[in-house]
Amino acid sequence: MELREQIIEKALLSSEVRSSVEKLKSLISEDFREIGASGANFSLKEVLECLPQDKNWSAKVGDFEFRLLADDVAQLTFRAFIKHDEKDEGAYSLRTSIWRNESGTWKMVFHQGTKVPPFKIAP
């Protein structure tokens, strides 16, 4: 499996990963920072507290773009439609994450979601 597919697979888009503190710790760097689509800032501590509690979260994603920024740093961008529960109308966003190879394991060091107008998602 090439690096692009490995990073997409690890992109914290499955409920299985999001609900497990151990799996999250294995994929997110200690110095992680996030700027959410709401504009709020999050660290690893906040992500580990919040994501496993978000049980009804779902996402439709597509339009993945991947680029290697350095031998040990990669960027993933994609579009997403995210709902936090069945009552939530959902929100469209453009997302980007920066991944770093830490001792042979690719971990997310930065993530940002930016709200955008509705769009069609291409797989």
Side-chain angles (χ1 to χ4, degrees), residues 49-61:
E49 290 171 358
C50 295
L51 287 190
Q53 305 305 317
D54 206 357
K55 301 289 185 195
N56 294 313
W57 180 92
S58 66
K60 291 181 183 178
V61 296

Side-chain angles (χ1 to χ4, degrees), residues 13 59-62 78-82 91-95 119 121:
L13 298 170
K60 291 181 183 178
V61 296
F78 58 97
R79 293 183 181 274
F81 174 71
I82 296 175
Y92 291 85
S93 57
L94 178 59
R95 304 202 156 250
F119 53 82
I121 295 176

Side-chain angles (χ1 to χ4, degrees), residues 57-109:
W57 180 92
S58 66
K60 291 181 183 178
V61 296
D63 298 330
F64 288 98
E65 292 184 22
F66 173 84
R67 60 188 194 141
L68 202 56
L69 302 176
D71 289 342
D72 61 347
V73 179
Q75 179 184 31
L76 179 66
T77 60
F78 58 97
R79 293 183 181 274
F81 174 71
I82 296 175
K83 291 179 76 167
H84 291 279
D85 59 47
E86 293 170 11
K87 295 176 185 174
D88 182 9
E89 292 182 13
Y92 291 85
S93 57
L94 178 59
R95 304 202 156 250
T96 187
S97 55
I98 304 293
W99 295 76
R100 178 176 58 214
N101 190 325
E102 297 180 1
S103 303
T105 302
W106 285 90
K107 293 192 173 193
M108 187 185 298
V109 294

Side-chain angles (χ1 to χ4, degrees), residues 25-60:
K25 283 183 178 180
S26 74
L27 296 174
I28 303 175
S29 183
E30 289 286 325
D31 61 347
F32 174 80
R33 294 292 179 263
E34 177 176 351
I35 302 170
S38 66
N41 292 291
F42 304 95
S43 67
L44 175 61
K45 180 180 183 278
E46 282 113 8
V47 168
L48 295 177
E49 290 171 358
C50 295
L51 287 190
Q53 305 305 317
D54 206 357
K55 301 289 185 195
N56 294 313
W57 180 92
S58 66
K60 291 181 183 178

